[in-house]
Amino acid sequence: MNNRKALLEAPSLTREKSLKTLVENRTVYALDNCELNLFETYQESVLVPLKFNDLVVTSMLRGKKVMHLFDDPEFEYLPGETVIVPRNTEMKIDFPEASTQNPTQCLALAIDHDKITDTLNFLNERYPKQENFGWKLNRENYFFYNNTELAATLNKLIRECMSTSVTKDALVDLALQELLVRIVQTQTVQSIHSDKAIDTTSVIYHITNFIKSNLSTPINLKALSDKASMSTSSFYRYFKRELGVSPIEFILNEKIKHAKQLLKNPGIQINEVCFMSGFEDCNYFIRLFKKHEGITPKQYQMLNAS
């Protein structure tokens, strides 16, 4: 999972004649175990309150909001980002740039509390984590960038919730289970990077910490599985269950992240960045970087060097 945000497929905006209000115009799709809300705002507004009776997964589709949540500082909320809000928690929202030419659009997926509990219990019974924190949602890491897997699951939920299929409730239930898995995995990755709300005695913490501390040296799956005192196949399954990516994908993402930090130095050469990030082939490094970030390392350096 890298730091590049995966955007969602934004549904069509409501036709002007059908708008009921210019601030948080709401379209609702109610299902057995969730409710998909699409909100659109067409004029600047401040401190608009919003609260749900169930936990809600929100994700920006268009435009910009400023969120006021918990007692934390306000923060900008943009497409490609997701915020999870516990049930009965009031958020207040500013719309500093909203207009008829530049509306905001955001989804809010309220998920039935029993559905969440049943899914997490099922995961803990059938796929128990070896760490003591198990499958659970983490209130501390409530804001994150959408990775490709999370975005694909949210897109699937949007399509199914808006469909007219007679089996849509069954399909949505399966997608909700997948969404909860993706969220827990995404939060685990975020916890590892921030050292926030993660068990620092856990195997996954020590393995990922070892990877981040040794990016410039070759790291293979056998060495990692030995370090975790597991067979290679057991370690691979364990790692992917915890983080949602394979060990190799995690290593490559960390190398790219390290390269991005190095590229903030305007005087560093691309081949230096390549080798300092643990890559042996500069052409491969450039291709991989462009695949992850959408631009070449040189272009990234020109845009971000300080």
Side-chain angles (χ1 to χ4, degrees):
M1 299 179 185
N2 55 47
N3 285 336
R4 192 167 175 233
K5 296 184 287 189
L7 302 180
L8 299 184
E9 299 163 6
S12 300
L13 293 166
T14 305
R15 280 185 274 183
E16 188 177 350
K17 290 181 180 178
S18 302
L19 290 172
K20 299 180 273 301
T21 174
L22 295 179
V23 179
E24 292 291 67
N25 184 78
R26 182 181 183 185
T27 305
V28 182
Y29 300 88
L31 291 96
D32 288 346
N33 291 310
C34 70
E35 179 185 87
L36 174 66
N37 300 268
L38 295 175
F39 290 99
E40 301 165 21
T41 294
Y42 294 81
Q43 67 183 33
E44 292 182 25
S45 308
V46 295
L47 297 177
V48 178
L50 187 61
K51 183 162 72 171
F52 288 87
N53 295 328
D54 289 306
L55 176 139
V56 63
V57 178
T58 74
S59 203
M60 281 297 287
L61 300 166
R62 309 173 197 253
K64 180 175 87 172
K65 293 181 180 181
V66 175
M67 293 284 285
H68 307 262
L69 190 57
F70 308 123
D71 294 322
D72 292 350
E74 65 184 45
F75 60 92
E76 285 191 353
Y77 193 17
L78 301 167
E81 299 171 355
T82 287
V83 170
I84 299 175
V85 184
R87 58 181 180 164
N88 298 317
T89 300
E90 185 173 73
M91 55 190 116
K92 292 190 175 174
I93 309 164
D94 301 338
F95 301 89
E97 300 173 359
S99 67
T100 51
Q101 289 76 35
N102 182 36
T104 68
Q105 187 184 40
C106 181
L107 72 83
L109 183 72
I111 308 174
D112 180 74
H113 178 71
D114 289 340
K115 179 64 177 177
I116 295 172
T117 302
D118 291 347
T119 300
L120 296 177
N121 286 342
F122 169 78
L123 290 168
N124 281 312
E125 289 168 12
R126 291 288 299 273
Y127 308 100
K129 288 174 175 273
Q130 293 180 331
E131 316 302 351
N132 58 18
F133 40 82
W135 290 93
K136 64 181 179 181
L137 295 171
N138 181 349
R139 175 173 165 155
E140 292 288 318
N141 290 321
Y142 60 83
F143 170 78
F144 41 82
Y145 290 176
N146 295 340
N147 55 58
T148 305
E149 297 84 2
L150 184 60
T153 308
L154 285 167
N155 281 329
K156 189 188 305 180
L157 274 162
I158 294 169
R159 288 194 300 271
E160 295 299 345
C161 286
M162 295 177 68
S163 81
T164 56
S165 166
V166 294
T167 59
K168 72 176 183 178
D169 273 299
L171 294 172
V172 165
D173 275 358
L174 292 171
L176 286 174
Q177 290 181 330
E178 182 180 351
L179 177 66
L180 291 168
V181 169
R182 299 296 184 196
I183 288 172
V184 173
Q185 290 171 334
T186 303
Q187 290 183 322
T188 303
V189 173
Q190 188 156 305
S191 294
I192 285 168
H193 290 318
S194 66
D195 292 346
K196 185 164 70 171
I198 182 117
D199 179 3
T200 55
T201 66
S202 67
V203 173
I204 198 69
Y205 175 81
H206 284 292
I207 292 295
T208 53
N209 212 40
F210 173 80
I211 290 170
K212 289 189 284 184
S213 301
N214 294 276
L215 291 175
S216 60
T217 59
I219 306 172
N220 60 46
L221 189 60
K222 178 70 166 63
L224 293 177
S225 57
D226 287 347
K227 196 167 186 63
S229 300
M230 298 181 192
S231 69
T232 303
S233 57
S234 294
F235 172 74
Y236 182 92
R237 289 194 301 271
Y238 160 76
F239 195 99
K240 190 148 190 181
R241 183 177 67 240
E242 291 291 323
L243 303 186
V245 292
S246 71
I248 300 306
E249 288 172 316
F250 183 87
I251 291 167
L252 290 177
N253 288 336
E254 287 301 307
K255 286 183 175 185
I256 293 295
K257 187 191 298 182
H258 183 58
K260 287 164 65 178
Q261 287 298 318
L262 294 171
L263 288 166
K264 291 180 180 178
N265 175 359
I268 198 167
Q269 298 296 312
I270 300 303
N271 64 333
E272 291 180 86
V273 174
C274 168
F275 298 126
M276 290 171 70
S277 301
F279 294 98
E280 297 177 357
D281 182 332
C282 273
N283 289 328
Y284 172 70
F285 164 65
I286 292 168
R287 287 198 308 273
L288 184 69
F289 191 99
K290 188 171 183 181
K291 180 181 176 182
H292 272 240
E293 301 300 318
I295 54 178
T296 66
K298 190 66 182 175
Q299 289 169 325
Y300 185 91
Q301 184 180 41
M302 291 171 66
L303 290 169
N304 293 278
S306 54

